[in-house]
Amino acid sequence: GGIVMNMDITNTILDFAYQNGVGANEVEKIASTKDGDVFALSLVDANGFPLPVGLPNIVILKEDKLTLVSGSEALDLIERLENE
């Protein structure tokens, strides 16, 4: 499992994602970098199993600013994080 987070942050990130056209119901903090905290978005069913959503969607939280990274850019970011 990931890091347990404050529900307010989770809800803020999910609302932000939804406003940007990303359907997600789960947020997992995957890294903290100099550019901010990195959260992966996912969609899980009622049993907690992930649903296929195609390319990943990432939200970066720096101070109070949220940034959505999606598609191949998100894939590149995840690869960079894994190689750090």
Side-chain angles (χ1 to χ4, degrees):
I3 298 153
V4 176
M5 291 183 309
N6 175 324
M7 278 311 291
D8 289 345
I9 291 178
T10 299
N11 290 334
T12 300
I13 291 172
L14 290 175
D15 285 347
F16 173 76
Y18 183 74
Q19 289 162 14
N20 285 278
V22 176
N25 58 10
E26 192 159 284
V27 177
E28 183 184 0
K29 184 173 179 180
I30 57 172
S32 289
T33 71
K34 66 183 185 327
D35 298 320
D37 291 337
V38 183
F39 299 90
L41 300 176
S42 56
L43 196 55
V44 296
D45 68 16
N47 299 313
F49 292 105
L51 298 168
V53 289
L55 291 168
N57 290 292
I58 302 289
V59 171
I60 299 170
L61 171 65
K62 184 169 188 176
E63 289 146 18
D64 289 332
K65 184 174 178 289
L66 292 170
T67 307
L68 179 67
V69 181
S70 56
S72 57
E73 199 182 334
L75 273 179
D76 292 344
L77 177 62
I78 291 169
E79 281 180 18
R80 279 205 309 277
L81 292 171
E82 287 173 349
N83 292 326
E84 272 181 10

